[in-house]
Structure formats: C-alpha cells, structure tokens
Amino acid sequence: MTDEEVRAKFPDRLCSYDLFKKMGSPRHIVAPMVDQSELAWRILSKRYGATLCYTPMFHAKMFSDDNPKYRNEQWQTNEEDRPVIVQFCANDPEYLLKAARLVVGQADAVDLNLGCPQHIAKRGHYGSFLMEDWDLISKLIRNLHENLEIPVTAKIRVFPEVEKTVAYAKMVEAAGAQIITVHGRLREQKGHKTGLADWDKIKAVKEAVKVPVFANGNILYYEDIQRCIDATNVDGVMSAETNLYNPAIFSGKVLPTWQMAEEYLEICDEIPTKSSFIRAHLFKLFRYSLPIHTDLRQQLAAARTMEEIHRFVNDIKARLIEDSQKEDAQKFDLENIEVDEFGYRKYPHWICQPALRFEHDKVHSQSKRLLNEAKVSEKHSETKDVPLSLDAKANEEDCNKRPKLDSK
C-alpha cells in the first residue's frame, strides 16, 4: 500500500508533528516501564510536570488473547490519563495489530518496543533482540500503519556505529512510525553495565528524520532536561529510572519521599492497583532510607493489604521527619546544595533523588554515604523543630557545579 493510499484510508489519523501538537507538544515524558508506569503512577507523574506518559510494555499476544485476564490486570485508563501511548512488544504483525485495535479510542497512539534488553526479551525474541531483523521490524510497524485507526510510534536503542543507528531510525520512520524515541544506549548497556547514553547518536537521528524525536538517557536532575534538548535538539525528553525514584523530576521541585508516597497511595485508594506494583514503587522511593531503618524494610516486604501499606508509610514518615530534624540535618540547604567528589548532589536520604550507580566504587556509593551519615547522626539524640520548606525549586546554578555528563 502506498503512502497516498494509507492517507486516503485514514484521512483523519494524525501524523508526525500534527500528532505531537495534538498531544500538547509534550516535552516531559514518562517512559514505558514494566509493572511500574501503571495508571496510578502516570497520574502522579502528570501532577508533577509530566506531559505525556507511556503505559508499561504489554505482551501483544497475551494482551490480544480471548481470555481478558492479562489485559484487565495490566491495562487501565481514565480521563486524567490522556495523552497516553500504549506500548507493546511483539514479533508477529497480526498479533500486534489485534492487540493494538483493543486500545483504539482510549489511547493517542500505539508504540512498538524495540529497546527492551532483558533476557526474557531475548528468549521471547522481541524488544532490542529484533534489532538485526529489520525486515520483521518494518512489517510490524507497517502493518499497524496500514491498518490501525490510531498512529504507531517506536522506541529504539542505538548501534555502536552512528551511521547504522541513523539508517535504522530512517527505516523505522519509512515503515510508518510517527514519533521515534531513541534510548541512547546499546543493547548490552544494562544492569551494572548501564553506563552513559550517547546524546551524539540521538542528535544524529534527530537531524536525519522528519518525525518528532524523544531522547531517553542521562536524566538525573531537572536541569538535565534542558541540557539534553540543547545538546540534541529533540522535541521531548523521556525519563525512566529517575522518574521512579523522583516522580517530581519534571517539576524541578525537591520534595520529601514521604510526601510522594502519601500522594501516590491516595491515588491508589481511588484506582485499584496491584500491591506488588505499589511495594515496588515504595522500595524505590525509600531506597536510601530503608538501609537505615531496616526493620521497616521488612515491614514493607510483608505488606499485602492497603491498610498494611498505609501503616508502613505512616511509620517511615514519622522516622524520616525525626531524621530531618536532627542536628546534622539542619545543614541541608536548598539554596546551597553540596556535591560529592563525583559531582552529584548530596541530598539527605529522606529527599527524592536519582538512583546513582557506583559499581566502580562501592565505598563511596550514595547508599554507603547516606548510611554512614545516618550512623554519625545517631550520636546526636537532641532534636529540634525545623521547618521543612521543600517545595522550592532546586538551585538551578547547581547544575553548573556538577561535571557535565559526557554524551559519548
């Protein structure tokens, strides 16, 4: 089918920048994250500056099954959810189309996952493990482009060679993808080998294609968003892991972890959410506090009901407020945030902050530093009433103190 025939078949379907503008020209995007970018989390993120969210990656074959159990467990939406893009992994064009048709009228577009690097994706032959099968990728996207009432988009990873990365992106565009998200890491960059995303490759893709491009990778702080846009000229910036540890990343606010947890649970009280999803979010939000309050870590792990989960949040909130009022904590100043020897901000453990990886230096890791500081703080038992003015924006000048992430 020619492009003219496709346009004639779907005269009202939005393409490229028309789609982008209809969704509000989103610059702040929450990534698709398995079991973690569920409806309640998407709503929380949008309250704090996210302008577009992706659903978790859904398995197209399971989603399209006649038995709706998987679909009903995974897919939720409401009026607060738009704009939203539903992401699928697939290796069969017909199963993908069947699944995609089930969200027409509820989503702004359907996205094909071409970036998942996990072993399960290798075993199932989807995600980034389709990167060598350009013919199949083209068929998957083209079948949606020619037969689906809403647009198709794609999320890709990069190759070692910039030329191959650009050719790959242009193939995805030619197949019919109306927006391309580029995760600037190789398929092998995962887990302890994650490393830095390559903004230069993202920039090269942006310069080569005509559709909107979103960048994914290297976003730790609010100021990194504009840095990424300046470096790559992309249309929007996506956050994955950092959003999980700091759902207010797109607002620029520096907030206490318990505030985010309480607001998230209020949403979950209204929108039924699997307890396993909730616990996973809370383990990330309180990542730097749980090694200090180890008894509460066990309490969270054992929590199954909303009552038990609320009790955990109330208990850890009381502990963290007490921690924040100790003498050492008074040194924390939003207007003059210190940085460590690596150039990263030294937030106290009760502040939402990115998960920093220091596989090369276990002694100076963020978790180790905060745990050591907590032990020192225990020597000062006297507490003082200190007002917590945490709604102010982080000092924008601090971005200049931290060494710029090398985009290579």
Side-chain angles (χ1 to χ4, degrees):
M1 188 178 290
T2 65
D3 288 341
E4 290 75 16
E5 290 172 329
V6 172
R7 283 192 291 270
K9 185 176 181 179
F10 299 108
D12 298 326
R13 189 177 64 187
L14 299 176
C15 299
S16 189
Y17 279 95
D18 289 333
L19 170 63
F20 180 70
K21 292 174 184 176
K22 177 64 165 55
M23 294 192 296
S25 301
R27 283 164 55 95
H28 300 160
I29 301 130
V30 173
M33 294 173 284
V34 174
D35 294 346
Q36 293 287 265
S37 57
E38 85 287 352
L39 177 59
W41 193 259
R42 298 196 297 270
I43 290 173
L44 177 67
S45 297
K46 284 186 175 180
R47 291 181 182 179
Y48 288 90
T51 48
L52 170 65
C53 294
Y54 284 61
T55 68
M57 178 190 74
F58 300 143
H59 191 288
K61 186 175 181 179
M62 296 175 66
F63 194 91
S64 62
D65 193 271
D66 291 338
N67 184 339
K69 180 180 179 182
Y70 172 84
R71 184 167 66 251
N72 292 342
E73 285 181 349
Q74 298 292 324
W75 168 232
Q76 289 177 289
T77 189
N78 63 19
E79 64 277 0
E80 293 184 71
D81 202 21
R82 307 293 286 271
V84 63
I85 294 179
V86 177
Q87 189 187 70
F88 292 104
C89 65
N91 56 27
D92 183 298
E94 292 310 313
Y95 278 123
L96 177 59
L97 178 60
K98 184 179 178 181
R101 281 177 168 160
L102 293 171
V103 301
V104 170
Q106 299 177 294
D108 295 88
V110 164
D111 187 76
L112 177 61
N113 181 309
L114 297 171
C116 181
Q118 303 305 322
H119 181 71
I120 191 172
K122 182 178 182 179
R123 190 169 66 245
H125 191 52
Y126 58 79
S128 66
F129 295 94
L130 298 182
M131 288 177 71
E132 287 73 31
D133 197 343
W134 291 19
D135 182 61
L136 175 56
I137 290 174
S138 181
K139 288 178 180 177
L140 288 165
I141 296 173
R142 193 70 189 178
N143 196 41
L144 293 183
H145 183 57
E146 293 181 355
N147 297 289
L148 190 66
E149 294 88 339
I150 58 177
V152 55
T153 67
K155 186 171 187 286
I156 66 174
R157 284 195 173 226
V158 300
F159 287 93
E161 307 83 11
V162 65
E163 297 82 7
K164 189 171 183 179
T165 298
V166 168
Y168 181 46
K170 292 179 74 172
M171 177 274 294
V172 168
E173 178 188 35
Q178 302 305 311
I179 294 174
I180 299 175
T181 299
V182 184
H183 186 166
R185 292 184 173 92
L186 306 174
R187 180 171 59 204
E188 295 73 22
Q189 288 182 269
K190 60 182 179 179
H192 69 282
K193 296 181 180 179
T194 296
L196 294 174
D198 190 334
W199 284 358
D200 288 343
K201 290 192 177 88
I202 298 176
K203 180 181 180 181
V205 169
K206 172 59 183 172
E207 292 174 346
V209 301
K210 295 181 174 61
V211 298
V213 173
F214 298 153
N216 182 202
N218 295 355
I219 305 301
L220 295 179
Y221 305 111
Y222 176 75
E223 294 79 10
D224 292 331
I225 299 167
Q226 190 59 50
R227 285 186 50 243
C228 181
I229 292 172
D230 293 342
T232 62
N233 199 34
V234 291
D235 302 281
V237 174
M238 177 179 284
S239 173
E241 187 174 61
T242 296
N243 165 262
L244 295 179
Y245 292 92
N246 178 17
I249 175 66
F250 290 124
S251 71
K253 295 179 179 180
V254 179
L255 299 172
T257 52
W258 68 79
Q259 178 179 327
M260 291 289 91
E262 287 183 323
E263 190 164 350
Y264 173 59
L265 290 190
E266 289 173 3
I267 298 171
C268 292
D269 285 336
E270 298 295 326
I271 298 172
T273 305
K274 292 181 69 173
S275 61
S276 60
F277 296 177
I278 299 173
R279 286 197 306 275
H281 281 300
L282 296 180
F283 270 114
K284 290 181 174 64
L285 283 174
F286 296 114
R287 170 190 172 100
Y288 293 120
S289 298
L290 291 174
I292 298 167
H293 300 286
T294 55
D295 59 319
L296 296 182
R297 180 170 56 193
Q298 297 303 316
Q299 181 181 340
L300 175 57
R304 291 296 180 272
T305 66
M306 286 302 295
E307 182 181 359
E308 292 170 338
I309 292 171
H310 273 288
R311 186 180 304 119
F312 160 78
V313 171
N314 290 336
D315 290 347
I316 197 167
K317 175 184 177 180
R319 298 270 191 97
L320 300 187
I321 288 177
E322 182 178 347
D323 289 347
S324 71
Q325 294 174 345
K326 291 178 180 178
E327 185 174 347
D328 285 359
Q330 297 178 42
K331 299 176 183 177
F332 175 59
D333 179 6
L334 275 174
E335 300 305 317
N336 188 28
I337 299 173
E338 297 180 41
V339 297
D340 63 18
E341 63 268 43
F342 299 103
Y344 297 100
R345 299 178 188 178
K346 296 177 68 174
Y347 289 127
H349 66 88
W350 38 269
I351 289 291
C352 290
Q353 56 193 286
L356 304 177
R357 291 188 175 93
F358 292 96
E359 288 78 11
H360 61 287
D361 193 342
K362 297 291 186 182
V363 175
H364 293 89
S365 71
Q366 177 77 335
S367 296
K368 190 71 174 179
R369 177 181 68 78
L370 291 171
L371 185 57
N372 288 339
E373 289 180 359
K375 289 179 179 178
V376 172
S377 180
E378 289 175 359
K379 298 178 181 179
H380 304 278
S381 58
E382 180 182 357
T383 62
K384 298 182 179 180
D385 293 328
V386 181
L388 301 179
S389 56
L390 298 175
D391 288 333
K393 287 194 174 183
N395 182 2
E396 293 186 356
E397 294 180 357
D398 181 60
C399 182
N400 297 322
K401 299 177 183 178
R402 179 166 58 90
K404 295 185 182 299
L405 287 169
D406 185 355
S407 63
K408 295 292 177 73

